[in-house]
């Protein structure tokens, strides 16, 4: 029904920057929340940032990461600056979507994109 495609991951040195993109497509009536989670090896998936009418950030990324969205393109972005080795993880995009005017909100996930920060 709804597909989320992430892009922009890769390998970067500590202190560098990356910009992740997440494009939503398919049966979309409206998108409520878009967000980014990450999961490092051996750790639980954690919320990084989310955006609806406002924004929310994990304490560990405040002041370094910025989430934004382009509603016309159904796309969310995560600008990551001053990256640290502990930011290394697979980053997943998520969106809470209403697929038609009569449907309830549903949550969808992307396939994930690897971010590796070398120290």
């Amino acid at each position: 029904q709804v597909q989320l495609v992430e892009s922009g991951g890769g390998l970067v040195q500590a202190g560098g920057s990356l910009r992740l993109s997440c494009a939503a497509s398919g049966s979309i009536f409206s998108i409520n929340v878009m967000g980014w989670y990450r999961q490092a090896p051996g750790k639980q998936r954690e919320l990084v940032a989310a955006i609806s009418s406002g924004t929310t950030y994990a304490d560990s990324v405040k002041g370094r990461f910025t989430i934004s969205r382009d509603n016309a393109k159904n796309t969310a972005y995560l600008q990551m600056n001053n990256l640290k080795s502990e930011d290394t993880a697979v980053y997943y995009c998520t969106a809470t979507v209403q697929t038609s005017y009569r449907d309830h909100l549903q949550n969808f996930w992307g396939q994930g994109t690897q971010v590796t920060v070398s120290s």
Side-chain angles (χ1 to χ4, degrees), residues 12-70:
V12 65
Q13 288 188 332
S17 298
L18 283 174
R19 187 192 194 209
L20 305 183
S21 298
C22 172
S25 62
S27 180
I28 298 172
F29 178 73
S30 67
I31 299 178
N32 185 4
V33 182
M34 296 191 79
W36 293 92
Y37 282 72
R38 67 186 180 187
Q39 188 166 20
K43 294 188 177 181
Q44 289 188 331
R45 190 173 297 190
E46 63 174 358
L47 174 67
V48 176
I51 183 169
S52 54
S53 56
T55 56
T56 299
Y57 295 95
D59 287 342
S60 60
V61 307
K62 284 181 180 177
R64 300 188 298 121
F65 291 11
T66 302
I67 189 170
S68 60
R69 63 191 282 184
D70 183 334

Side-chain angles (χ1 to χ4, degrees), residues 93-114:
C93 175
T94 182
T96 305
V97 179
Q98 187 176 5
T99 54
S100 75
Y101 73 94
R102 67 182 70 180
D103 287 334
H104 298 294
L105 292 171
Q106 300 178 66
N107 201 50
F108 296 90
W109 291 87
Q111 79 287 354
T113 185
Q114 177 70 47

